[in-house]
Amino acid sequence: AYAKCGHFGKVFNDTTFFHICHNLEQAYEGRIYPSPWDGTLDYIHQLPVDLLVDPFWMETVINPSRCALIMCDQWGTISHCYKNDLLRTSPLAPLLRRKKEPFSFPNGIFKERRLRTLLTKAGDDRLECKRYIQKKYFNFEHPDLSVPLYSFVGRLTQQKGVMLILESVEELIRRTNGRINILLGGSGNKQDPYVEQCINKINYLKGRYPRSFWANPNEFFTDGPKINMGSDFGLIPSMYEPGGIVQHEFFIAGTPVIAFWTGGLKDIISEYNYSNRKGNGFVFEEYSTTDFINAVLRSLDIFGNKEHYQKIRKNASESVIDISEVSLAWCKEFYRLRGKVFFNAKDLLYREENSELSMSVSMSASSEEINEERRS
């Protein structure tokens, strides 16, 4: 907005502005609610008021995301499903719909780098990692690989759905006669009332079910790679998730996940189907403990079926998106916005090298034919 309103002179003339909506939930819009005597604070921001304030909203809200969406040339986000969700449900949807062909592409990870991390910090033996986890966190003197291990790795926040797991633990322990391991690896801001509530529940569960439940919100969790490798299932019950990286960190270790069907998770995670053997996890569509528990119970069924469990692990490992694929998609979009035709320099070099090789082979063949004629 400042560039297009001339605050920087001609510096940004002919610049294309792209706004990335990494997370456009209401709390992330950057809203400011001025007091009545503050007006619209235009004496501070020095921009046209209508860029920041929607006159049709019930109260005066200074919204920088509104400004960015009005003034940008295009916007995009980090998953196809999240883009569709925003266009349908966001308070800023009318502005989002002004732009034709908004861009989206799922998140990814550096596959080779993550594989090296797994190898260095976890090794390549999944079952040995599981034994390590059962000994260290659940006090198993003799590990029992037939006990399924479910793990969450992330921040203790409302968005990540930690309380949904905590409220389901006792029922899952009851349904499995105590033969289940549930681990929460992560910490949170103790000043947050939600985190305080989680800590109280964690202390109760950890004290009563030490061989089935573990969490320590007071310390930063450092065994993430071992958890990714050694878990039988990952837990991602996020209330909303624009893109998500955790699913890929589980998938690259061949670990299927259980997730709420929301945002970017819908792009990547699908329910396993026994008939066609497709799917890399289990999903629940109603955000409730009942639906979450049912998803876990479905995963317990496949855990007991060796053939299908190996298949879902294979599907999970094949679901990882590499960051090179992600960056290529974004690069093509930026070329498109500038009216340019994209080409991949590496592909061009590859074609040139193969062209030279083909020519060399052809010339060699021709020389052999000439020599053969001479000999004849």
Side-chain angles (χ1 to χ4, degrees):
Y2 286 107
K4 290 192 173 184
C5 289
H7 286 256
F8 304 114
K10 298 181 180 180
V11 173
F12 292 103
N13 283 7
D14 195 37
T15 297
T16 300
F17 290 91
F18 187 99
H19 184 58
I20 301 176
C21 300
H22 178 80
N23 193 334
L24 201 61
E25 303 303 318
Q26 182 173 322
Y28 288 81
E29 289 178 12
R31 297 182 183 187
I32 299 170
Y33 297 85
S35 303
W37 53 85
D38 287 328
T40 53
L41 300 179
D42 44 301
Y43 66 95
I44 295 178
H45 56 72
Q46 298 183 31
L47 289 169
V49 174
D50 61 327
L51 293 181
L52 291 151
V53 178
D54 189 331
F56 297 103
W57 281 19
M58 291 182 64
E59 57 183 328
T60 300
V61 179
I62 297 173
N63 194 329
S65 289
R66 168 185 167 82
C67 180
L69 290 170
I70 291 174
M71 298 303 286
C72 71
D73 297 289
Q74 187 54 284
W75 67 274
T77 189
I78 53 179
S79 78
H80 305 311
C81 287
Y82 186 59
K83 178 186 74 175
N84 295 333
D85 289 347
L86 289 177
L87 288 168
R88 190 179 68 256
T89 65
S90 171
L92 298 174
L95 297 180
L96 294 168
R97 289 194 285 264
R98 285 186 182 182
K99 310 296 182 185
K100 294 182 179 179
E101 299 181 48
F103 178 75
S104 61
F105 202 83
N107 270 342
I109 60 173
F110 288 95
K111 290 174 66 173
E112 290 187 11
R113 182 188 299 175
R114 188 63 187 177
L115 285 170
R116 288 197 300 269
T117 298
L118 287 173
L119 189 62
T120 302
K121 297 186 176 182
D124 59 357
D125 190 330
R126 182 181 78 83
L127 298 181
E128 188 55 40
C129 281
K130 184 174 178 178
R131 293 187 186 98
Y132 167 88
I133 295 164
Q134 286 186 331
K135 285 182 177 180
K136 180 175 180 178
Y137 296 105
F138 299 97
N139 301 314
F140 278 38
E141 185 177 350
H142 303 290
D144 186 348
L145 299 179
S146 67
V147 175
L149 171 60
Y150 294 81
S151 301
F152 165 91
V153 180
R155 294 174 289 114
L156 303 188
T157 64
Q158 188 170 14
Q159 179 200 345
K160 300 300 180 183
V162 179
M163 187 55 73
L164 194 65
I165 300 174
L166 296 175
E167 290 176 342
S168 305
V169 168
E170 288 191 285
E171 178 65 14
L172 289 170
I173 291 173
R174 186 185 69 81
R175 293 284 194 102
T176 58
N177 294 317
R179 290 184 57 77
I180 190 170
N181 294 148
I182 301 171
L183 182 147
L184 267 65
S187 57
N189 178 9
K190 294 180 181 179
Q191 306 302 317
D192 183 345
Y194 179 85
V195 175
E196 184 180 3
Q197 185 183 5
C198 287
I199 291 174
N200 291 335
K201 188 72 172 178
I202 285 170
N203 291 337
Y204 162 74
L205 293 170
K206 191 176 178 182
R208 184 164 184 181
Y209 308 102
R211 290 178 64 82
S212 294
F213 176 82
W214 184 92
N216 186 354
N218 298 314
E219 294 182 7
F220 183 79
F221 191 71
T222 58
D223 269 338
K226 285 186 180 294
I227 297 301
N228 293 148
M229 180 67 75
S231 298
D232 296 305
F233 295 94
L235 298 176
I236 312 178
S238 298
M239 186 180 296
Y240 57 90
E241 194 67 70
I245 292 294
V246 175
Q247 67 269 28
H248 292 299
E249 293 177 340
F250 275 115
F251 282 163
I252 200 166
T255 303
V257 300
I258 298 166
F260 182 49
W261 212 55
T262 184
L265 300 179
K266 291 188 287 187
D267 281 8
I268 308 299
I269 303 166
S270 57
E271 180 89 8
Y272 184 77
N273 186 310
Y274 281 87
S275 300
N276 59 25
R277 300 191 173 200
K278 293 182 179 180
N280 51 22
F282 294 90
V283 298
F284 56 103
E285 298 185 30
E286 179 184 322
Y287 200 77
S288 67
T289 55
T290 299
D291 222 22
F292 172 70
I293 289 170
N294 286 336
V296 175
L297 294 177
R298 294 197 301 276
S299 72
L300 283 170
D301 288 338
I302 200 173
F303 180 72
N305 186 314
K306 186 175 180 180
E307 181 182 350
H308 282 284
Y309 183 65
Q310 290 306 315
K311 178 57 179 173
I312 196 175
R313 290 191 65 87
K314 185 175 185 294
N315 293 350
S317 65
E318 293 174 350
S319 301
V320 185
I321 298 177
D322 189 74
I323 200 70
S324 61
E325 186 180 346
V326 181
S327 58
L328 182 63
W330 283 86
C331 192
K332 288 180 177 180
E333 170 64 4
F334 295 151
Y335 267 71
R336 185 187 71 82
L337 289 175
R338 295 296 295 174
K340 305 295 182 182
V341 176
F342 174 83
F343 74 93
N344 191 328
K346 288 185 178 180
D347 288 347
L348 181 63
L349 180 62
Y350 177 79
R351 287 196 297 269
E352 288 178 347
E353 289 175 346
N354 278 272
S355 176
E356 291 174 4
L357 180 61
S358 298
M359 185 179 296
S360 174
V361 171
S362 176
M363 290 175 66
S364 297
S366 299
S367 298
E368 289 178 4
E369 290 171 0
I370 291 171
N371 291 332
E372 181 62 30
E373 287 179 5
R374 285 175 177 171
R375 282 193 294 272
S376 299

